Amino acid sequence: MEVRKIKIELGLEKPVNVAHFTDVHISMADERDEHLIKHAEARADVFYREAEKPDKTPSEFLKEALEYADENCDLSVITGDMIDFISEKNLEEAKSILDGHKYMFTAGNHEFCPQVGISDSFARKLDEFCRIQSYFDGNMYFESQIINGVNFVTVDNSYYNYCAPQIKALEKEIEKGLPIIIFSHVPLTEKMLNLVYHHKDLVPDKYMMEQTKKMLELINGCDLIKAEFSGHWHVEVDTTTDGGIPEYVTPGLFKGKMTHIEIV
């Protein structure tokens, strides 16, 4: 396991350590989803080759990352694409490994994918949301947790958009006056909404576009938000958002890579 360490200085009386990992891409299927068995094999091979033939499976890397976090960190934050597509085996595998560990989880686009290559759909995400959520702790739509005076916030932007309830929820967190570290699947510096070829089938309406713009303006205009962590790109990137917030993109855990955030 390759652990990258990042230090954020906030002047805390007691430091906080957080493990961030993302994009596990568990790719499994069994007789309950017989039509996906060959698909699972092909997808597993895609990530095996992308990771340059690692000596561990995504599931084994996930177990190792959680063990590291349990020993060295106060919290684990997972920013989506835990599974590569929806299958009973994928969901059960993720749940069985995560059970008993302390973590926050926000969804990635693959959490709502019935088979890679099928068009994305806002309606299907809504239909599948509660079922997928039942396999994970917490609230993958929006969640916050305060540790030693730092507010850790996860916000679902897996389909490149934000909604009005998320804006209201973040405004309430900002009112607490604590420094915020925000986590999402898609980096804030990526084009939001139907502007990337990977998800060209998502067609947001005018209201959805307005809410997404409002959320990005809220985030970028907030001095309390000290850093943003995300995944999705499968590579390590350090950059800043339009509002000057430091943004750190963690590579996929299927490559055996994670980030250890030390906040002091």
PDB file of all heavy atoms in Angstrom, residues 204-232:
ATOM      1  N   PRO A 204     -29.168  17.802 -17.656  1.00  0.00           N
ATOM      2  CA  PRO A 204     -29.771  18.551 -16.557  1.00  0.00           C
ATOM      3  C   PRO A 204     -30.728  19.622 -17.065  1.00  0.00           C
ATOM      4  O   PRO A 204     -30.536  20.185 -18.142  1.00  0.00           O
ATOM      5  CB  PRO A 204     -28.563  19.195 -15.875  1.00  0.00           C
ATOM      6  CG  PRO A 204     -27.580  19.372 -16.982  1.00  0.00           C
ATOM      7  CD  PRO A 204     -27.763  18.177 -17.885  1.00  0.00           C
ATOM      8  N   ASP A 205     -31.759  19.895 -16.277  1.00  0.00           N
ATOM      9  CA  ASP A 205     -32.656  20.989 -16.640  1.00  0.00           C
ATOM     10  C   ASP A 205     -32.115  22.312 -16.082  1.00  0.00           C
ATOM     11  O   ASP A 205     -31.092  22.341 -15.394  1.00  0.00           O
ATOM     12  CB  ASP A 205     -34.079  20.725 -16.154  1.00  0.00           C
ATOM     13  CG  ASP A 205     -34.165  20.524 -14.642  1.00  0.00           C
ATOM     14  OD1 ASP A 205     -33.295  21.041 -13.911  1.00  0.00           O
ATOM     15  OD2 ASP A 205     -35.112  19.853 -14.190  1.00  0.00           O
ATOM     16  N   LYS A 206     -32.811  23.394 -16.388  1.00  0.00           N
ATOM     17  CA  LYS A 206     -32.345  24.715 -16.000  1.00  0.00           C
ATOM     18  C   LYS A 206     -32.230  24.849 -14.485  1.00  0.00           C
ATOM     19  O   LYS A 206     -31.252  25.403 -13.966  1.00  0.00           O
ATOM     20  CB  LYS A 206     -33.299  25.775 -16.547  1.00  0.00           C
ATOM     21  CG  LYS A 206     -32.887  27.204 -16.207  1.00  0.00           C
ATOM     22  CD  LYS A 206     -33.861  28.213 -16.790  1.00  0.00           C
ATOM     23  CE  LYS A 206     -33.467  29.637 -16.421  1.00  0.00           C
ATOM     24  NZ  LYS A 206     -34.444  30.628 -16.973  1.00  0.00           N
ATOM     25  N   TYR A 207     -33.206  24.326 -13.750  1.00  0.00           N
ATOM     26  CA  TYR A 207     -33.193  24.422 -12.289  1.00  0.00           C
ATOM     27  C   TYR A 207     -31.986  23.686 -11.715  1.00  0.00           C
ATOM     28  O   TYR A 207     -31.306  24.186 -10.818  1.00  0.00           O
ATOM     29  CB  TYR A 207     -34.481  23.840 -11.719  1.00  0.00           C
ATOM     30  CG  TYR A 207     -34.524  23.833 -10.203  1.00  0.00           C
ATOM     31  CD1 TYR A 207     -34.771  25.006  -9.499  1.00  0.00           C
ATOM     32  CD2 TYR A 207     -34.309  22.654  -9.494  1.00  0.00           C
ATOM     33  CE1 TYR A 207     -34.812  25.014  -8.109  1.00  0.00           C
ATOM     34  CE2 TYR A 207     -34.341  22.652  -8.105  1.00  0.00           C
ATOM     35  CZ  TYR A 207     -34.600  23.830  -7.418  1.00  0.00           C
ATOM     36  OH  TYR A 207     -34.628  23.823  -6.046  1.00  0.00           O
ATOM     37  N   MET A 208     -31.703  22.509 -12.241  1.00  0.00           N
ATOM     38  CA  MET A 208     -30.568  21.727 -11.766  1.00  0.00           C
ATOM     39  C   MET A 208     -29.259  22.480 -12.003  1.00  0.00           C
ATOM     40  O   MET A 208     -28.370  22.501 -11.140  1.00  0.00           O
ATOM     41  CB  MET A 208     -30.528  20.366 -12.468  1.00  0.00           C
ATOM     42  CG  MET A 208     -29.509  19.395 -11.930  1.00  0.00           C
ATOM     43  SD  MET A 208     -29.566  17.813 -12.796  1.00  0.00           S
ATOM     44  CE  MET A 208     -31.183  17.225 -12.309  1.00  0.00           C
ATOM     45  N   MET A 209     -29.130  23.104 -13.145  1.00  0.00           N
ATOM     46  CA  MET A 209     -27.929  23.861 -13.448  1.00  0.00           C
ATOM     47  C   MET A 209     -27.784  25.056 -12.510  1.00  0.00           C
ATOM     48  O   MET A 209     -26.684  25.374 -12.054  1.00  0.00           O
ATOM     49  CB  MET A 209     -27.945  24.320 -14.910  1.00  0.00           C
ATOM     50  CG  MET A 209     -27.879  23.172 -15.898  1.00  0.00           C
ATOM     51  SD  MET A 209     -27.880  23.714 -17.624  1.00  0.00           S
ATOM     52  CE  MET A 209     -26.239  24.404 -17.754  1.00  0.00           C
ATOM     53  N   GLU A 210     -28.899  25.694 -12.189  1.00  0.00           N
ATOM     54  CA  GLU A 210     -28.871  26.835 -11.270  1.00  0.00           C
ATOM     55  C   GLU A 210     -28.417  26.415  -9.878  1.00  0.00           C
ATOM     56  O   GLU A 210     -27.634  27.104  -9.224  1.00  0.00           O
ATOM     57  CB  GLU A 210     -30.253  27.486 -11.206  1.00  0.00           C
ATOM     58  CG  GLU A 210     -30.652  28.228 -12.472  1.00  0.00           C
ATOM     59  CD  GLU A 210     -32.092  28.712 -12.433  1.00  0.00           C
ATOM     60  OE1 GLU A 210     -32.841  28.261 -11.522  1.00  0.00           O
ATOM     61  OE2 GLU A 210     -32.480  29.521 -13.298  1.00  0.00           O
ATOM     62  N   GLN A 211     -28.931  25.252  -9.403  1.00  0.00           N
ATOM     63  CA  GLN A 211     -28.562  24.778  -8.068  1.00  0.00           C
ATOM     64  C   GLN A 211     -27.089  24.379  -8.009  1.00  0.00           C
ATOM     65  O   GLN A 211     -26.401  24.638  -7.016  1.00  0.00           O
ATOM     66  CB  GLN A 211     -29.449  23.591  -7.675  1.00  0.00           C
ATOM     67  CG  GLN A 211     -30.917  23.940  -7.542  1.00  0.00           C
ATOM     68  CD  GLN A 211     -31.163  25.110  -6.613  1.00  0.00           C
ATOM     69  OE1 GLN A 211     -30.790  25.068  -5.444  1.00  0.00           O
ATOM     70  NE2 GLN A 211     -31.793  26.160  -7.125  1.00  0.00           N
ATOM     71  N   THR A 212     -26.602  23.769  -9.056  1.00  0.00           N
ATOM     72  CA  THR A 212     -25.197  23.384  -9.089  1.00  0.00           C
ATOM     73  C   THR A 212     -24.295  24.618  -9.077  1.00  0.00           C
ATOM     74  O   THR A 212     -23.298  24.675  -8.347  1.00  0.00           O
ATOM     75  CB  THR A 212     -24.905  22.519 -10.331  1.00  0.00           C
ATOM     76  OG1 THR A 212     -25.697  21.333 -10.257  1.00  0.00           O
ATOM     77  CG2 THR A 212     -23.432  22.147 -10.411  1.00  0.00           C
ATOM     78  N   LYS A 213     -24.650  25.606  -9.852  1.00  0.00           N
ATOM     79  CA  LYS A 213     -23.883  26.856  -9.861  1.00  0.00           C
ATOM     80  C   LYS A 213     -23.903  27.513  -8.484  1.00  0.00           C
ATOM     81  O   LYS A 213     -22.870  27.997  -7.984  1.00  0.00           O
ATOM     82  CB  LYS A 213     -24.452  27.806 -10.911  1.00  0.00           C
ATOM     83  CG  LYS A 213     -23.694  29.129 -11.004  1.00  0.00           C
ATOM     84  CD  LYS A 213     -24.311  30.042 -12.058  1.00  0.00           C
ATOM     85  CE  LYS A 213     -23.571  31.371 -12.115  1.00  0.00           C
ATOM     86  NZ  LYS A 213     -24.181  32.299 -13.128  1.00  0.00           N
ATOM     87  N   LYS A 214     -25.066  27.489  -7.829  1.00  0.00           N
ATOM     88  CA  LYS A 214     -25.200  28.101  -6.510  1.00  0.00           C
ATOM     89  C   LYS A 214     -24.316  27.393  -5.486  1.00  0.00           C
ATOM     90  O   LYS A 214     -23.674  28.034  -4.659  1.00  0.00           O
ATOM     91  CB  LYS A 214     -26.662  28.068  -6.071  1.00  0.00           C
ATOM     92  CG  LYS A 214     -26.924  28.772  -4.747  1.00  0.00           C
ATOM     93  CD  LYS A 214     -28.415  28.771  -4.415  1.00  0.00           C
ATOM     94  CE  LYS A 214     -28.672  29.448  -3.069  1.00  0.00           C
ATOM     95  NZ  LYS A 214     -30.142  29.440  -2.735  1.00  0.00           N
ATOM     96  N   MET A 215     -24.287  26.067  -5.548  1.00  0.00           N
ATOM     97  CA  MET A 215     -23.454  25.306  -4.607  1.00  0.00           C
ATOM     98  C   MET A 215     -21.974  25.591  -4.824  1.00  0.00           C
ATOM     99  O   MET A 215     -21.218  25.798  -3.859  1.00  0.00           O
ATOM    100  CB  MET A 215     -23.716  23.806  -4.749  1.00  0.00           C
ATOM    101  CG  MET A 215     -22.793  22.924  -3.897  1.00  0.00           C
ATOM    102  SD  MET A 215     -22.979  23.184  -2.114  1.00  0.00           S
ATOM    103  CE  MET A 215     -23.920  21.721  -1.697  1.00  0.00           C
ATOM    104  N   LEU A 216     -21.536  25.615  -6.057  1.00  0.00           N
ATOM    105  CA  LEU A 216     -20.132  25.888  -6.335  1.00  0.00           C
ATOM    106  C   LEU A 216     -19.747  27.296  -5.884  1.00  0.00           C
ATOM    107  O   LEU A 216     -18.642  27.511  -5.370  1.00  0.00           O
ATOM    108  CB  LEU A 216     -19.843  25.701  -7.827  1.00  0.00           C
ATOM    109  CG  LEU A 216     -19.923  24.257  -8.332  1.00  0.00           C
ATOM    110  CD1 LEU A 216     -19.805  24.214  -9.850  1.00  0.00           C
ATOM    111  CD2 LEU A 216     -18.847  23.399  -7.696  1.00  0.00           C
ATOM    112  N   GLU A 217     -20.652  28.236  -6.044  1.00  0.00           N
ATOM    113  CA  GLU A 217     -20.383  29.600  -5.570  1.00  0.00           C
ATOM    114  C   GLU A 217     -20.312  29.629  -4.044  1.00  0.00           C
ATOM    115  O   GLU A 217     -19.472  30.342  -3.467  1.00  0.00           O
ATOM    116  CB  GLU A 217     -21.475  30.542  -6.069  1.00  0.00           C
ATOM    117  CG  GLU A 217     -21.394  30.815  -7.569  1.00  0.00           C
ATOM    118  CD  GLU A 217     -22.545  31.664  -8.078  1.00  0.00           C
ATOM    119  OE1 GLU A 217     -23.540  31.830  -7.317  1.00  0.00           O
ATOM    120  OE2 GLU A 217     -22.480  32.147  -9.224  1.00  0.00           O
ATOM    121  N   LEU A 218     -21.183  28.863  -3.390  1.00  0.00           N
ATOM    122  CA  LEU A 218     -21.165  28.796  -1.926  1.00  0.00           C
ATOM    123  C   LEU A 218     -19.845  28.217  -1.430  1.00  0.00           C
ATOM    124  O   LEU A 218     -19.218  28.768  -0.517  1.00  0.00           O
ATOM    125  CB  LEU A 218     -22.330  27.938  -1.429  1.00  0.00           C
ATOM    126  CG  LEU A 218     -22.396  27.685   0.088  1.00  0.00           C
ATOM    127  CD1 LEU A 218     -22.595  28.989   0.845  1.00  0.00           C
ATOM    128  CD2 LEU A 218     -23.530  26.699   0.399  1.00  0.00           C
ATOM    129  N   ILE A 219     -19.411  27.128  -2.036  1.00  0.00           N
ATOM    130  CA  ILE A 219     -18.159  26.496  -1.624  1.00  0.00           C
ATOM    131  C   ILE A 219     -16.976  27.422  -1.861  1.00  0.00           C
ATOM    132  O   ILE A 219     -16.149  27.655  -0.976  1.00  0.00           O
ATOM    133  CB  ILE A 219     -17.958  25.158  -2.371  1.00  0.00           C
ATOM    134  CG1 ILE A 219     -19.013  24.140  -1.927  1.00  0.00           C
ATOM    135  CG2 ILE A 219     -16.549  24.607  -2.130  1.00  0.00           C
ATOM    136  CD1 ILE A 219     -19.021  22.867  -2.752  1.00  0.00           C
ATOM    137  N   ASN A 220     -16.892  27.959  -3.069  1.00  0.00           N
ATOM    138  CA  ASN A 220     -15.734  28.773  -3.430  1.00  0.00           C
ATOM    139  C   ASN A 220     -15.686  30.106  -2.700  1.00  0.00           C
ATOM    140  O   ASN A 220     -14.619  30.714  -2.574  1.00  0.00           O
ATOM    141  CB  ASN A 220     -15.707  29.000  -4.943  1.00  0.00           C
ATOM    142  CG  ASN A 220     -15.181  27.804  -5.697  1.00  0.00           C
ATOM    143  OD1 ASN A 220     -14.107  27.304  -5.396  1.00  0.00           O
ATOM    144  ND2 ASN A 220     -15.939  27.333  -6.682  1.00  0.00           N
ATOM    145  N   GLY A 221     -16.826  30.542  -2.181  1.00  0.00           N
ATOM    146  CA  GLY A 221     -16.856  31.813  -1.473  1.00  0.00           C
ATOM    147  C   GLY A 221     -16.766  31.683   0.035  1.00  0.00           C
ATOM    148  O   GLY A 221     -16.881  32.684   0.747  1.00  0.00           O
ATOM    149  N   CYS A 222     -16.524  30.473   0.512  1.00  0.00           N
ATOM    150  CA  CYS A 222     -16.524  30.236   1.953  1.00  0.00           C
ATOM    151  C   CYS A 222     -15.097  30.113   2.487  1.00  0.00           C
ATOM    152  O   CYS A 222     -14.383  29.166   2.165  1.00  0.00           O
ATOM    153  CB  CYS A 222     -17.310  28.964   2.279  1.00  0.00           C
ATOM    154  SG  CYS A 222     -17.367  28.594   4.040  1.00  0.00           S
ATOM    155  N   ASP A 223     -14.699  31.040   3.348  1.00  0.00           N
ATOM    156  CA  ASP A 223     -13.354  31.029   3.923  1.00  0.00           C
ATOM    157  C   ASP A 223     -13.156  29.876   4.903  1.00  0.00           C
ATOM    158  O   ASP A 223     -12.015  29.495   5.195  1.00  0.00           O
ATOM    159  CB  ASP A 223     -13.075  32.349   4.644  1.00  0.00           C
ATOM    160  CG  ASP A 223     -12.980  33.533   3.683  1.00  0.00           C
ATOM    161  OD1 ASP A 223     -12.694  33.291   2.497  1.00  0.00           O
ATOM    162  OD2 ASP A 223     -13.205  34.675   4.124  1.00  0.00           O
ATOM    163  N   LEU A 224     -14.243  29.312   5.425  1.00  0.00           N
ATOM    164  CA  LEU A 224     -14.129  28.220   6.400  1.00  0.00           C
ATOM    165  C   LEU A 224     -13.753  26.890   5.749  1.00  0.00           C
ATOM    166  O   LEU A 224     -13.275  25.980   6.427  1.00  0.00           O
ATOM    167  CB  LEU A 224     -15.449  28.057   7.169  1.00  0.00           C
ATOM    168  CG  LEU A 224     -15.790  29.146   8.178  1.00  0.00           C
ATOM    169  CD1 LEU A 224     -17.191  28.930   8.729  1.00  0.00           C
ATOM    170  CD2 LEU A 224     -14.770  29.179   9.317  1.00  0.00           C
ATOM    171  N   ILE A 225     -13.975  26.772   4.440  1.00  0.00           N
ATOM    172  CA  ILE A 225     -13.618  25.531   3.743  1.00  0.00           C
ATOM    173  C   ILE A 225     -12.125  25.583   3.429  1.00  0.00           C
ATOM    174  O   ILE A 225     -11.675  26.372   2.604  1.00  0.00           O
ATOM    175  CB  ILE A 225     -14.463  25.333   2.474  1.00  0.00           C
ATOM    176  CG1 ILE A 225     -15.944  25.210   2.860  1.00  0.00           C
ATOM    177  CG2 ILE A 225     -14.006  24.089   1.710  1.00  0.00           C
ATOM    178  CD1 ILE A 225     -16.895  25.086   1.680  1.00  0.00           C
ATOM    179  N   LYS A 226     -11.363  24.736   4.108  1.00  0.00           N
ATOM    180  CA  LYS A 226      -9.901  24.814   4.060  1.00  0.00           C
ATOM    181  C   LYS A 226      -9.271  23.897   3.017  1.00  0.00           C
ATOM    182  O   LYS A 226      -8.134  24.119   2.601  1.00  0.00           O
ATOM    183  CB  LYS A 226      -9.331  24.482   5.436  1.00  0.00           C
ATOM    184  CG  LYS A 226      -9.857  25.373   6.561  1.00  0.00           C
ATOM    185  CD  LYS A 226      -9.585  26.852   6.287  1.00  0.00           C
ATOM    186  CE  LYS A 226     -10.075  27.744   7.433  1.00  0.00           C
ATOM    187  NZ  LYS A 226      -9.827  29.178   7.164  1.00  0.00           N
ATOM    188  N   ALA A 227      -9.979  22.855   2.615  1.00  0.00           N
ATOM    189  CA  ALA A 227      -9.429  21.943   1.606  1.00  0.00           C
ATOM    190  C   ALA A 227     -10.555  21.070   1.070  1.00  0.00           C
ATOM    191  O   ALA A 227     -11.599  20.894   1.716  1.00  0.00           O
ATOM    192  CB  ALA A 227      -8.324  21.065   2.195  1.00  0.00           C
ATOM    193  N   GLU A 228     -10.333  20.538  -0.122  1.00  0.00           N
ATOM    194  CA  GLU A 228     -11.299  19.625  -0.741  1.00  0.00           C
ATOM    195  C   GLU A 228     -10.554  18.395  -1.242  1.00  0.00           C
ATOM    196  O   GLU A 228      -9.472  18.508  -1.834  1.00  0.00           O
ATOM    197  CB  GLU A 228     -12.013  20.323  -1.902  1.00  0.00           C
ATOM    198  CG  GLU A 228     -13.166  19.549  -2.493  1.00  0.00           C
ATOM    199  CD  GLU A 228     -12.775  18.666  -3.664  1.00  0.00           C
ATOM    200  OE1 GLU A 228     -11.692  18.888  -4.234  1.00  0.00           O
ATOM    201  OE2 GLU A 228     -13.553  17.751  -4.008  1.00  0.00           O
ATOM    202  N   PHE A 229     -11.121  17.225  -0.968  1.00  0.00           N
ATOM    203  CA  PHE A 229     -10.531  15.955  -1.397  1.00  0.00           C
ATOM    204  C   PHE A 229     -11.537  15.195  -2.250  1.00  0.00           C
ATOM    205  O   PHE A 229     -12.733  15.183  -1.965  1.00  0.00           O
ATOM    206  CB  PHE A 229     -10.141  15.102  -0.184  1.00  0.00           C
ATOM    207  CG  PHE A 229      -8.950  15.637   0.569  1.00  0.00           C
ATOM    208  CD1 PHE A 229      -9.103  16.633   1.520  1.00  0.00           C
ATOM    209  CD2 PHE A 229      -7.668  15.159   0.310  1.00  0.00           C
ATOM    210  CE1 PHE A 229      -8.013  17.146   2.217  1.00  0.00           C
ATOM    211  CE2 PHE A 229      -6.567  15.666   0.992  1.00  0.00           C
ATOM    212  CZ  PHE A 229      -6.743  16.662   1.951  1.00  0.00           C
ATOM    213  N   SER A 230     -11.027  14.574  -3.299  1.00  0.00           N
ATOM    214  CA  SER A 230     -11.908  13.852  -4.210  1.00  0.00           C
ATOM    215  C   SER A 230     -11.144  12.713  -4.883  1.00  0.00           C
ATOM    216  O   SER A 230      -9.989  12.434  -4.557  1.00  0.00           O
ATOM    217  CB  SER A 230     -12.475  14.819  -5.262  1.00  0.00           C
ATOM    218  OG  SER A 230     -11.421  15.497  -5.922  1.00  0.00           O
ATOM    219  N   GLY A 231     -11.806  12.074  -5.829  1.00  0.00           N
ATOM    220  CA  GLY A 231     -11.204  10.966  -6.565  1.00  0.00           C
ATOM    221  C   GLY A 231     -11.557  11.066  -8.029  1.00  0.00           C
ATOM    222  O   GLY A 231     -11.334  12.082  -8.672  1.00  0.00           O
ATOM    223  N   HIS A 232     -12.116   9.986  -8.570  1.00  0.00           N
ATOM    224  CA  HIS A 232     -12.699   9.959  -9.911  1.00  0.00           C
ATOM    225  C   HIS A 232     -11.675   9.907 -11.043  1.00  0.00           C
ATOM    226  O   HIS A 232     -11.882   9.209 -12.036  1.00  0.00           O
ATOM    227  CB  HIS A 232     -13.619  11.169 -10.098  1.00  0.00           C
ATOM    228  CG  HIS A 232     -14.464  11.122 -11.326  1.00  0.00           C
ATOM    229  ND1 HIS A 232     -15.303  10.074 -11.620  1.00  0.00           N
ATOM    230  CD2 HIS A 232     -14.623  12.019 -12.352  1.00  0.00           C
ATOM    231  CE1 HIS A 232     -15.939  10.308 -12.765  1.00  0.00           C
ATOM    232  NE2 HIS A 232     -15.533  11.478 -13.227  1.00  0.00           N
TER     233      HIS A 232
END
